C-alpha cells in the first residue's frame, strides 16, 4: 500500500497548494494549476488535483499544530457562549474555518516537497515553509463506508484513488 500511495500522490511533487476548506467534516485541498472544468453543466475554475480527507489529520509547523481535524468541533475565537448556541457545521463558526483561512492567507505559495505513507493508508505531505500535513486513518471499520481519504485529478476525470479500511480502491 505504501508504495502505491507514494506513486499516486507523487504527482503532487512541486505543485502549489491552491486552497483548502471543508464540506461538513470533510477536509478538502486543491493542488496544482487552476483549470476550467464543466460540472453540472457549468464551467468552474478549480485546482487540477483534489485531496479529500475523512479521517484524522493535522497540519504542523515544527512542534506546533496549526490546524487539525478536531478543530471542526470547537468554536472560533469570536464565539460568545452567553449569547450564541454553537453549531460547528455552519461555515465560519468553528476553529477550523478560522485557522485554515489564516493558514492559506498567510502562506500563499506553499509547494509540495515530499510525499510519504505507511502500510495502513497514513499519508505525510511535506510542504515548503516547514509545514507538514499528516493524515492518519483512525478507524478499524472495513466496510464499504470506511473511506479514509481520496485523491483525484479534476481535469482528466480519471478514477478516484481511494484509501479505505479494506485497502485501496479505484472508482
Amino acid at each position: 500500500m505504501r508504495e502505491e500511495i507514494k506513486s499516486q500522490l507523487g504527482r503532487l511533487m512541486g505543485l502549489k497548494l491552491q486552497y483548502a476548506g471543508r464540506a461538513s467534516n470533510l477536509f478538502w485541498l486543491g493542488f496544482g494549476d487552476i483549470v476550467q472544468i464543466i460540472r453540472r453543466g457549468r464551467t468552474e475554475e478549480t485546482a487540477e488535483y483534489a485531496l479529500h480527507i475523512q479521517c484524522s489529520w493535522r497540519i504542523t509547523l515544527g512542534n506546533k499544530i496549526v490546524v487539525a481535524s478536531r478543530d471542526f468541533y470547537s468554536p472560533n475565537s469570536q464565539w460568545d457562549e452567553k449569547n450564541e448556541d454553537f453549531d460547528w457545521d455552519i461555515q465560519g463558526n468553528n476553529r477550523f474555518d478560522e485557522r485554515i483561512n489564516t493558514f492559506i492567507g498567510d502562506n500563499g505559495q506553499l509547494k509540495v516537497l515530499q510525499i510519504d505513507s505507511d502500510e495502513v493508508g497514513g499519508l505525510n505531505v511535506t510542504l515548503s515553509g516547514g509545514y507538514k500535513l499528516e493524515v492518519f486513518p483512525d478507524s478499524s471499520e472495513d466496510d464499504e463506508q470506511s473511506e479514509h481519504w481520496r485523491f483525484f485529478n479534476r481535469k482528466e476525470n480519471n478514477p478516484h484513488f481511494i484509501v479505505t479500511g479494506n485497502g485501496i480502491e479505484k472508482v
Side-chain angles (χ1 to χ4, degrees):
M1 181 180 281
R2 171 184 282 150
E3 292 307 315
E4 192 168 358
I5 290 171
K6 286 172 64 174
S7 174
Q8 286 290 320
L9 275 82
R11 300 175 200 175
L12 296 178
M13 295 293 293
L15 297 184
K16 179 182 172 189
L17 171 61
Q18 293 285 357
Y19 50 71
R22 70 177 178 94
S24 192
N25 63 353
L26 180 145
F27 178 38
W28 44 259
L29 302 101
F31 296 91
D33 294 332
I34 298 295
V35 297
Q36 289 189 344
I37 63 167
I38 297 174
R39 185 173 156 194
R40 297 183 183 126
R42 296 189 344 201
T43 301
E44 294 182 14
E45 287 192 348
T46 186
E48 182 173 1
Y49 291 97
L51 178 61
H52 289 186
I53 303 168
Q54 293 185 274
C55 62
S56 293
W57 58 270
R58 66 182 173 218
I59 296 175
T60 60
L61 178 61
N63 64 354
K64 175 101 173 108
I65 296 173
V66 176
V67 61
S69 50
R70 284 193 48 197
D71 289 339
F72 290 140
Y73 309 108
S74 297
N76 68 30
S77 64
Q78 304 303 310
W79 182 63
D80 178 2
E81 66 184 76
K82 293 178 184 171
N83 297 319
E84 300 176 34
D85 291 328
F86 175 62
D87 183 349
W88 71 270
D89 204 15
I90 295 174
Q91 288 288 332
N93 261 16
N94 65 45
R95 184 180 298 153
F96 167 84
D97 296 332
E98 186 174 55
R99 293 198 176 186
I100 201 69
N101 288 336
T102 300
F103 170 71
I104 294 297
D106 290 350
N107 297 290
Q109 295 297 316
L110 293 178
K111 293 195 176 188
V112 176
L113 301 179
Q114 184 177 351
I115 300 288
D116 204 1
S117 182
D118 62 31
E119 294 302 330
V120 294
L123 177 64
N124 290 316
V125 180
T126 303
L127 301 167
S128 56
Y131 291 95
K132 182 184 269 189
L133 167 63
E134 298 171 285
V135 178
F136 34 100
D138 59 350
S139 171
S140 61
E141 291 181 32
D142 59 1
D143 60 15
E144 63 274 359
Q145 305 298 318
S146 67
E147 180 175 323
H148 300 305
W149 58 268
R150 71 174 52 209
F151 174 69
F152 54 101
N153 182 315
R154 291 185 177 275
K155 182 178 170 184
E156 295 177 7
N157 201 23
N158 291 336
H160 292 199
F161 180 84
I162 305 169
V163 173
T164 73
N166 285 326
I168 295 170
E169 297 178 15
K170 294 178 182 173
V171 179

